């Protein structure tokens, strides 16, 4: 094909293009696709070299760079309006694969129209490889950035994010690429954003790397401590264009550091001395502050020492043996001694163990000063020994039962009480089997019932046990502990051997019911038996006679001869009457020379005389005492039930009145109760009327009888005694008006006046320095029954300003037993108030010792009837000794009333009776004479 001359394209321009564009091939085509111009650049493709001017591009079919013309035949080629670019891969004859960028572009049409299209080919093989490498590098960098566990970011000078990896995006709480171009203020609280911005500014200001720690909050709310490293970003010329930052999460590391510091601090500051010791040499390479303080060394000094330097029980040989043994057992616990720097030695308890660190054995030891513990253990051991001794002396044992495990623990004294060898294994059946067969079921049932019902405690249980064939009495009580559901867990109790005490109580009870001189029943037993007789009479519809027998002029026997002679006669009278009474009659000694006989099953009053004659007959014979004969006559008063009265007290009272009527009739006679009763009642009514007026006018007077300490002979108190002297009736004995006052309720205002007057008087003595002891005031059972007595006492103390410890309240034994359950509550209130409580006339009433034990009493007052015959009467001595012993055993003071002789005082003092009062010491006196008496008593005491 002929060549088309380049009429439009100049040769020199084309040549310049070849020189300027050596990396590409250029072909100019006409509108038929024939070659107008072709550069000589081969670009690794051998096939296009065959082209020559005028040759059609479509005639070439081998080289891939011309693939574009397959899509653009001549018709489409002429319609081409815009450049078409494509990338093709071509394999050369050398087997190499090249990448080429081809461009087919239409040219602006000229008038000649010889050149219509430009086809250029650029070899991009190297460029593609570089681009792929760069792309790989970018992908690698992107993966590195996004997979780093740290937060990585870059910001421009305005603080806008240029780069933000996945961890940064998670912190900011945005999706990928959404952080770019935004600032910290868009994600954090203002104060946090401001602080971050200040840190960035500092990096740019100083131009150096800055590291800081900061707490940042993630969108889910959890906070993380970051260690952030920030560095300035520069251009090649060194100009700042922003900052690069990496934030590393150090929360866990920080906590570990804090934990490590805290652990180190805790060890250093631990109150227990800690030693780290070389397990072989025994040298100390670490000690805490407590160890230094305990031994008086500095850390530097102690770490230069070894165990043998601070423990006197160890030398090198002993340590080597100990270390060898510790290495074998790996842990040890023992007690030893430590020596301080000053040489003092103290006991320690050591806990040592071996641990391995980096292949080497170390011994860590805790040494606790046990000086205080050993002292407490010694004190505890002493107390336990004292407790065992106390239990042995008091015959009180203790026990504890684990109800779930059914294990029983006894104290030494409990073993002794039950007669069981302590070395033998103890079983719960041992205690049950020891109970007397007749008491076993009731005792065990009572205990188990108490464990189920806390309101039904196992208290005051007295039962029998059998010890080596001997029957003994024990008193038990316990408390049972329960869990939250009420299930019983364990019981703790005491057991006391009360055999001897019970015998003593029975003896005292016998003595309290019998006259010590004649061994006959006393007033208490008489009234009890008379009550039984009246019940029987009501069933049989028969009469009961109370015969009051009084020895005429018996007082002259005592005055003219002696009390001993009088006692011998009284004993003989009792013996003769007892022979007649036998078991058919109730016979009692009612007073000093008074006896009472109860005659039952009487059809008429005349039958009484027939039965009474036998008693009177035996008294007619003379009484021969030490060769002297004494003839006695008697006056007898008789009252009948139901004719005269239905109550025991009234019958005795009426018989007494009838006896006095018999004496008025000429003695040695008997008289039935009759009109005398009316006269007596009239007199009683007159006395009551006068009493009311006297109460309104406060016409009563208090006399004070001294009470002394028999050991020191010092006056310690006064008993306030009520006196009433009427303008016309004269002096009226308290035994006459007090019972009337009790019967009519007048005792309550009277008792209030007595209490207030006595307290006020004692307070005046205290303030004047006359006397600083106590005052005793008698209390009626009627006052206690009122229910407000404690308030009355508290008001009297408050009004007078007297301390409660200076007041003692006395109530007679017979009155005390009137309503023991209710009065016990009142007594407990008085006890809490702080006043002293005393039982008056002890031994003449009918108190139950079990009730006595439950009353918070401070003093037992021995009735003067028991003191009267001291010390010559053996029975009286036994009674006095028993009462004093009872008081001492019950932790109460004993006070004897009616001391009238020096011998009585000396005997009571030798007996151990603490206090006394009576005419031998002083008679009751008005308050105005107390000061003089006390002065004279101090002078008189040495001669008592």
């Amino acid at each position: 094909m002929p060549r088309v001359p380049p009429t439009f394209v100049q040769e020199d321009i084309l040549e310049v293009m070849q020189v300027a564009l050596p990396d590409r091939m250029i072909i100019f085509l006409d509108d038929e696709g024939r070659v107008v111009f072709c550069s000589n650049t081969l670009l690794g493709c051998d096939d296009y070299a065959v082209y020559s001017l005028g040759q059609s591009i479509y005639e070439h079919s081998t080289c891939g760079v011309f693939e574009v013309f397959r899509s653009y035949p001549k018709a489409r080629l002429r319609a081409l309006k815009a450049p078409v670019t494509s990338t093709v891969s071509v394999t050369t004859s050398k087997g190499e694969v090249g990448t080429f960028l081809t461009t087919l572009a239409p040219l602006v049409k000229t008038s000649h129209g010889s050149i219509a299209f430009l086809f250029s080919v650029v070899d991009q093989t190297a460029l593609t490889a570089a681009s792929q490498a760069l792309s790989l590098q970018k992908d690698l960098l992107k993966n590195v950035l996004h997979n780093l566990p740290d937060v990585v970011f870059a910001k421009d000078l305005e603080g806008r994010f240029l780069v933000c990896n996945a961890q940064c995006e998670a912190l900011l709480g945005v999706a990928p690429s959404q952080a770019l171009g935004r600032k910290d203020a868009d994600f954090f609280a203002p104060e946090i954003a401001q602080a971050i911005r200040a840190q960035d500014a500092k990096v740019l200001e100083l131009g150096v790397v800055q590291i800081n720690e900061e707490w940042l909050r993630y969108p889910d709310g959890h906070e993380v401590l970051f260690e952030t490293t920030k560095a300035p970003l520069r251009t090649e010329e060194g100009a700042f264009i922003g900052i690069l930052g990496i934030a590393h999460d150090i929360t866990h590391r920080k906590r570990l550091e804090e934990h490590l510091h805290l652990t180190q601090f805790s060890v250093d500051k631990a109150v227990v001395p800690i030693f780290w010791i070389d397990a072989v040499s025994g040298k100390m390479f670490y000690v805490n502050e407590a160890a230094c303080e305990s031994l008086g060394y500095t850390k530097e000094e102690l770490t230069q020492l070894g165990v043998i330097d601070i423990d006197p029980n160890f030398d090198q040989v002993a340590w080597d043996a100990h270390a060898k043994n510790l290495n074998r057992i790996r842990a040890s616990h023992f007690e030893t001694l430590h020596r301080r720097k000053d040489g003092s030695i103290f006991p320690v308890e050591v806990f040592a163990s071996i641990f391995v660190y980096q292949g080497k054995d170390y011994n860590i030891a805790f040494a606790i000063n046990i000086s205080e513990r050993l002292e407490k253990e010694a004190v505890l051991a002493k107390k336990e020994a004292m407790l065992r001794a106390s239990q042995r002396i008091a015959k009180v044992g203790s026990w504890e039962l684990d109800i779930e495990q059914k294990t029983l623990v006894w104290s030494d004294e409990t073993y002794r009480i039950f007669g069981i060898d302590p070395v033998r294994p103890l079983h719960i059946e041992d205690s049950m089997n020891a109970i007397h067969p007749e008491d076993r079921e009731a005792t065990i049932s009572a205990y188990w019932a108490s464990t189920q019902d806390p309101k039904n405690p196992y208290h005051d249980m007295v039962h029998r046990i059998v010890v080596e064939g001997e029957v003994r009495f024990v008193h038990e009580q316990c408390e049972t502990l329960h869990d939250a559901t009420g299930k019983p867990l364990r019981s703790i109790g005491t057991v006391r051997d009360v055999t001897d005490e019970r015998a003593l109580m029975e003896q005292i009870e016998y003595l309290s019911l019998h006259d010590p001189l004649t061994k006959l029943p006393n007033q208490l037993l008489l009234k009890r038996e008379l009550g039984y007789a009246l019940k029987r009479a009501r069933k049989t519809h028969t009469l009961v006679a109370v015969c009051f027998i009084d020895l005429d002029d018996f007082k002259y026997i005592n005055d003219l001869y002696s009390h001993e002679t009088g006692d011998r006669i009284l004993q003989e009278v009792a013996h003769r009457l007892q022979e007649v009474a036998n078991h058919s009659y109730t016979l009692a000694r009612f007073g000093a020379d008074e006896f009472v006989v109860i005659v039952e099953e009487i059809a008429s009053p005349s039958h009484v005389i027939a039965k009474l004659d036998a008693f009177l007959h035996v008294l007619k014979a003379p009484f021969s005492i030490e060769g002297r004969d004494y003839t006695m006559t008697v006056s007898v008063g008789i009252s009948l039930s139901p004719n005269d009265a239905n109550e025991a007290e009234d019958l005795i009272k009426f018989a007494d009145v009838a006896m006095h009527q018999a004496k008025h009739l000429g003695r040695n006679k008997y008289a039935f109760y009759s009109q005398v009763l009316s006269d007596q009642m009239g007199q009683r009514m007159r006395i009551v009327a006068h009493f009311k007026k006297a109460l309104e006018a406060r016409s009563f007077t208090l006399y004070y009888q001294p009470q002394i300490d028999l050991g020191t002979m010092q006056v310690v108190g006064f008993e306030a005694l009520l006196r009433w002297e009427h303008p016309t009736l004269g002096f009226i004995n308290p035994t006459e008006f007090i019972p009337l006052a009790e019967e009519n309720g007048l005792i309550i205002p009277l008792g209030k006046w007595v209490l207030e007057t006595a307290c006020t008087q004692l307070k005046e003595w205290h303030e004047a320095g006359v006397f600083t002891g106590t005052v005793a005031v008698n209390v009626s059972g009627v006052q206690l029954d009122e229910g407000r007595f404690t308030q009355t006492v508290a008001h009297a103390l408050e009004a007078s300003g007297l301390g409660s410890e200076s007041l003692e309240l006395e109530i007679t034994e017979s009155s005390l037993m009137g309503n023991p359950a209710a009065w016990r509550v009142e007594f407990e209130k008085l006890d809490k108030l702080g006043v002293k409580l005393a039982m008056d006339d002890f031994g003449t009433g009918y108190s139950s010792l079990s009730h006595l034990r439950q009353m918070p009493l401070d003093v037992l007052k021995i009735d003067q009837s028991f003191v009267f015959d001291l010390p010559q009467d053996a029975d009286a001595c036994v009674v006095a000794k028993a009462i004093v012993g009872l008081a001492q055993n019950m932790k109460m003071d004993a006070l004897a009333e009616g001391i009238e002789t020096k011998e009585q005082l000396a005997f009571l003092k030798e007996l151990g009776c603490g206090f006394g009062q009576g005419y031998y010491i002083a008679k009751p006196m008005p308050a105005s004479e107390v000061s003089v008496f006390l002065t004279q008593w101090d002078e008189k005491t040495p001669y008592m």
Side-chain angles (χ1 to χ4, degrees):
M1 178 177 293
R3 181 179 179 185
V4 179
T7 58
F8 177 73
V9 181
Q10 298 182 9
E11 292 290 339
D12 56 347
I13 294 176
L14 296 175
E15 289 177 359
V16 170
M17 291 179 63
Q18 284 190 151
V19 174
L21 302 171
D23 60 339
R24 66 184 61 196
M25 178 177 65
I26 300 174
I27 300 176
F28 287 98
L29 304 171
D30 62 14
D31 57 359
E32 293 295 329
R34 293 187 292 268
V35 175
V36 177
F37 174 82
C38 180
S39 69
N40 57 3
T41 302
L42 300 181
L43 299 178
C45 182
D46 299 331
D47 296 330
Y48 68 83
V50 299
Y51 284 118
S52 60
L53 296 178
Q55 186 178 5
S56 174
I57 199 70
Y58 296 106
E59 295 177 3
H60 198 289
S61 59
T62 58
C63 187
V65 297
F66 305 112
E67 285 289 331
V68 66
F69 292 103
R70 295 182 181 178
S71 301
Y72 289 89
K74 292 178 181 181
R76 189 178 182 192
L77 182 64
R78 292 189 185 102
L80 185 64
K81 303 298 184 180
V84 177
T85 302
S86 63
T87 301
V88 295
S89 296
V90 177
T91 303
T92 67
S93 58
K94 297 178 182 180
E96 298 175 351
V97 177
T99 302
F100 298 90
L101 176 65
T102 66
T103 303
L104 176 61
L107 298 177
V108 178
K109 297 293 190 289
T110 65
S111 58
H112 299 287
S114 58
I115 301 177
F117 300 97
L118 171 64
F119 179 66
S120 67
V121 180
V122 180
D123 188 352
Q124 289 189 321
T125 304
L127 180 62
T128 300
S131 177
Q132 290 177 345
L134 180 60
S135 176
L136 177 62
Q137 188 177 12
K138 288 182 178 179
D139 290 341
L140 179 61
L141 179 60
K142 181 178 180 180
N143 277 287
V144 169
L145 283 176
H146 286 288
N147 286 286
L148 277 175
D150 296 332
V151 174
V152 180
F153 58 90
K155 293 185 282 190
D156 62 14
L157 295 178
E158 300 300 322
R160 290 184 290 266
F161 283 99
L162 301 174
V163 175
C164 188
N165 73 342
Q167 298 301 327
C168 178
E169 292 168 347
L171 173 63
L172 301 179
V174 296
S177 303
Q178 289 186 0
L180 303 182
R182 300 169 70 180
K183 297 182 179 181
D184 293 301
D186 297 325
F187 306 105
F188 300 114
E191 62 274 10
I192 300 297
Q194 185 177 357
I196 294 174
R197 188 61 182 157
Q199 295 167 3
D200 295 348
K202 187 174 182 181
V203 172
L204 296 174
E205 177 186 353
L206 299 177
V208 296
V209 174
Q210 294 287 314
I211 300 175
N212 59 276
E213 294 181 1
E214 56 190 349
W215 283 96
L216 297 177
R217 186 187 300 274
Y218 274 82
D220 63 1
H222 80 280
E223 291 186 329
V224 174
L225 179 64
F226 287 103
E227 181 181 72
T228 305
T229 303
K230 296 180 180 179
L233 290 176
R234 294 182 174 90
T235 63
E236 292 183 359
E237 291 77 18
F240 294 132
I241 60 173
I243 65 168
L244 173 66
I246 299 177
H248 179 61
D249 183 352
I250 62 170
T251 308
H252 181 63
R253 188 192 77 191
K254 200 71 174 179
R255 287 173 179 167
L256 288 178
E257 291 175 355
E258 291 177 353
H259 180 71
L260 178 61
H261 292 157
L262 180 60
T263 301
Q264 181 65 37
F265 180 81
S266 300
V267 172
D268 284 338
K269 301 298 182 182
V271 296
V272 177
I274 301 175
F275 303 83
W276 288 9
I277 304 165
D278 186 286
V280 177
S281 68
K283 292 293 183 179
M284 293 176 283
F285 60 88
Y286 169 80
V287 292
N288 69 346
E289 295 177 8
C292 298
E293 183 179 353
S294 69
L295 295 172
Y297 290 97
T298 65
K299 281 191 176 183
E300 292 73 17
E301 290 173 331
L302 265 183
T303 51
Q304 299 300 315
L305 303 177
V307 174
I308 63 175
D309 298 313
I310 65 169
D311 192 329
N313 287 331
F314 282 106
D315 54 17
Q316 192 59 49
V317 175
W319 169 256
D320 291 342
H322 172 78
K324 183 177 180 181
N325 182 61
L326 184 59
N327 182 62
R328 178 178 59 83
I329 61 177
R330 310 304 287 179
S332 178
H333 173 212
F334 58 94
E335 293 182 4
T336 185
L337 300 174
H338 272 183
R339 183 191 296 112
R340 297 185 181 93
K341 185 177 180 180
D342 62 10
S344 59
I345 294 176
F346 59 97
V348 293
E349 182 178 17
V350 177
F351 298 85
S353 60
I354 297 294
F355 69 95
V356 180
Y357 179 69
Q358 294 183 347
K360 185 176 180 180
D361 284 352
Y362 293 94
N363 179 358
I364 181 170
F366 301 85
I368 302 173
N369 188 331
I370 57 174
S371 302
E372 184 177 353
R373 192 198 79 189
L374 293 180
E375 290 176 1
K376 290 182 178 179
E377 287 178 352
V379 172
L380 181 60
K382 183 177 180 180
K383 289 183 177 180
E384 288 178 348
M386 291 175 61
L387 178 60
R388 288 194 296 269
S390 299
Q391 288 191 350
R392 185 183 68 256
I393 295 170
K395 298 182 180 180
V396 177
S398 57
W399 55 269
E400 182 174 346
L401 172 63
D402 187 319
I403 298 175
E404 288 186 324
Q405 302 297 325
K406 294 186 177 180
T407 56
L408 183 62
V409 178
W410 279 358
S411 67
D412 293 345
E413 183 60 16
T414 307
Y415 277 104
R416 190 201 64 77
I417 291 173
F418 280 87
I420 296 177
D421 189 349
V423 300
R424 185 170 66 82
L426 181 65
H427 302 285
I428 189 173
E429 290 78 11
D430 292 324
S431 60
M432 296 182 177
N433 294 336
I435 302 174
H436 193 284
E438 296 179 2
D439 297 346
R440 187 174 301 154
E441 181 178 353
T443 302
I444 295 174
S445 297
Y447 166 71
W448 287 117
S450 72
T451 63
Q452 301 302 318
D453 183 8
K455 296 180 180 179
N456 182 28
Y458 187 73
H459 284 171
D460 299 325
M461 176 61 69
V462 177
H463 62 84
R464 292 169 291 176
I465 62 174
V466 181
V467 180
E468 297 179 353
E470 178 186 358
V471 176
R472 304 192 66 80
F473 287 86
V474 294
H475 171 266
E476 287 196 79
Q477 54 186 355
C478 80
E479 290 184 357
T480 300
L481 304 180
H482 300 75
D483 63 14
T485 65
K487 179 182 178 182
L489 300 177
R490 61 192 181 99
S491 297
I492 302 174
T494 60
V495 56
R496 182 163 60 98
D497 186 341
V498 295
T499 305
D500 296 338
E501 179 181 320
R502 187 178 181 87
L504 177 61
M505 291 175 65
E506 289 177 351
Q507 181 183 6
I508 293 176
E509 187 168 7
Y510 173 84
L511 294 174
S512 69
L513 294 174
H514 293 78
D515 171 50
L517 178 64
T518 64
K519 305 300 184 291
L520 293 178
N522 60 12
Q523 293 185 29
L524 171 61
L525 188 53
L526 169 69
K527 293 174 182 178
R528 183 185 301 177
E529 293 299 325
L530 179 54
Y532 296 150
L534 293 175
K535 290 181 180 179
R536 290 190 292 268
R538 282 192 287 270
K539 293 180 180 180
T540 60
H541 303 287
T542 57
L543 299 178
V544 174
V546 176
C547 305
F548 209 104
I549 302 174
D550 180 82
L551 302 181
D552 295 330
D553 299 323
F554 180 77
K555 63 184 296 293
Y556 295 112
I557 299 294
N558 289 328
D559 294 341
L560 295 176
Y561 301 101
S562 67
H563 284 286
E564 182 178 358
T565 300
D567 289 344
R568 295 281 298 277
I569 292 175
L570 288 174
Q571 289 174 332
E572 180 62 24
V573 169
H575 176 68
R576 294 183 186 184
L577 293 175
Q578 185 65 47
E579 286 186 339
V580 177
N582 199 2
H583 297 292
S584 301
Y585 304 91
T586 298
L587 173 65
R589 184 187 180 191
F590 193 82
D593 58 352
E594 298 168 336
F595 298 84
V596 174
V597 176
I598 300 175
V599 183
E600 298 183 57
E601 298 181 354
I602 300 171
S604 65
S606 61
H607 292 168
V608 179
I609 303 303
K611 293 189 176 184
L612 190 58
D613 279 343
F615 290 96
L616 301 180
H617 177 74
V618 298
L619 298 179
K620 291 180 180 180
F623 296 87
S624 180
I625 307 297
E626 295 182 351
R628 182 187 294 273
D629 290 339
Y630 302 89
T631 301
M632 302 299 300
T633 61
V634 296
S635 296
V636 181
I638 306 168
S639 64
L640 296 173
S641 173
N643 298 15
D644 300 327
N646 291 315
E647 299 297 329
E649 291 283 354
D650 292 337
L651 288 170
I652 294 173
K653 189 185 305 180
F654 295 162
D656 186 23
V657 170
M659 180 270 296
H660 283 88
Q661 184 180 14
K663 284 185 177 293
H664 289 308
L665 293 176
R667 302 181 185 276
N668 197 24
K669 298 183 182 296
Y670 60 84
F672 284 91
Y673 176 77
S674 59
Q675 187 59 40
V676 177
L677 175 61
S678 299
D679 297 339
Q680 181 68 20
M681 291 299 294
Q683 178 66 10
R684 285 160 59 90
M685 293 177 66
R686 285 192 294 273
I687 292 178
V688 169
H690 290 303
F691 183 89
K692 290 180 179 179
K693 292 181 180 180
L695 185 59
E696 293 175 358
R698 296 292 190 266
S699 300
F700 299 98
T701 305
L702 287 185
Y703 274 49
Y704 298 89
Q705 185 173 34
Q707 297 174 331
I708 66 170
D709 184 324
L710 296 183
T712 63
M713 298 300 292
Q714 296 299 310
V715 178
V716 295
F718 283 89
E719 180 179 2
L721 300 171
L722 186 63
R723 296 292 183 263
W724 179 25
E725 187 168 359
H726 192 269
T728 57
L729 300 178
F731 177 79
I732 303 176
N733 197 298
T735 58
E736 295 184 42
F737 66 81
I738 291 296
L740 295 178
E742 290 178 333
E743 291 177 10
N744 292 275
L746 299 175
I747 193 65
I748 293 176
L750 177 63
K752 182 175 182 291
W753 177 84
V754 171
L755 189 62
E756 293 174 348
T757 303
C759 290
T760 301
Q761 180 62 70
L762 183 61
K763 181 63 176 180
E764 291 177 0
W765 286 339
H766 282 186
E767 292 178 345
V770 174
F771 177 65
T772 59
T774 62
V775 64
V777 176
N778 290 284
V779 178
S780 167
V782 177
Q783 293 174 269
L784 293 176
D785 282 335
E786 184 191 16
R788 297 192 301 269
F789 184 65
T790 302
Q791 292 92 316
T792 301
V793 174
H795 179 270
L797 291 172
E798 181 180 1
S800 64
L802 185 67
S804 60
E805 70 281 357
S806 298
L807 177 62
E808 178 180 299
L809 301 177
E810 297 183 1
I811 183 168
T812 60
E813 180 184 7
S814 56
S815 297
L816 184 62
M817 292 302 103
N819 190 4
W823 292 356
R824 184 161 57 247
V825 175
E826 197 72 25
F827 271 32
E828 289 173 354
K829 295 179 183 177
L830 292 169
D831 185 51
K832 291 180 181 178
L833 190 62
V835 301
K836 294 182 178 179
L837 300 172
M839 176 181 283
D840 198 8
D841 301 336
F842 181 71
T844 62
Y846 52 99
S847 62
S848 167
L849 293 181
S850 62
H851 289 156
L852 176 65
R853 180 168 52 83
Q854 297 172 11
M855 294 287 187
L857 297 173
D858 301 291
V859 182
L860 281 184
K861 299 190 69 173
I862 306 173
D863 186 69
Q864 59 185 353
S865 64
F866 298 119
V867 178
F868 182 78
D869 294 324
L870 296 177
Q872 63 273 10
D873 185 80
D875 291 334
C877 293
V878 170
V879 173
K881 183 177 181 181
I883 296 175
V884 170
L886 177 64
Q888 292 174 345
N889 288 333
M890 299 188 71
K891 310 301 182 186
M892 291 188 285
D893 293 326
L895 186 149
E897 297 180 298
I899 300 176
E900 298 184 359
T901 67
K902 183 176 183 179
E903 290 76 17
Q904 291 172 349
L905 188 146
F907 178 81
L908 290 166
K909 183 176 181 179
E910 182 180 357
L911 195 62
C913 181
F915 304 90
Q917 68 184 85
Y919 280 15
Y920 181 70
I921 298 167
K923 294 181 179 181
M925 64 193 74
S928 59
E929 297 178 6
V930 167
S931 179
V932 176
F933 164 76
L934 290 172
T935 302
Q936 294 176 346
W937 175 259
D938 290 339
E939 298 173 354
K940 179 181 179 183
T941 300
Y943 304 100
M944 291 292 291

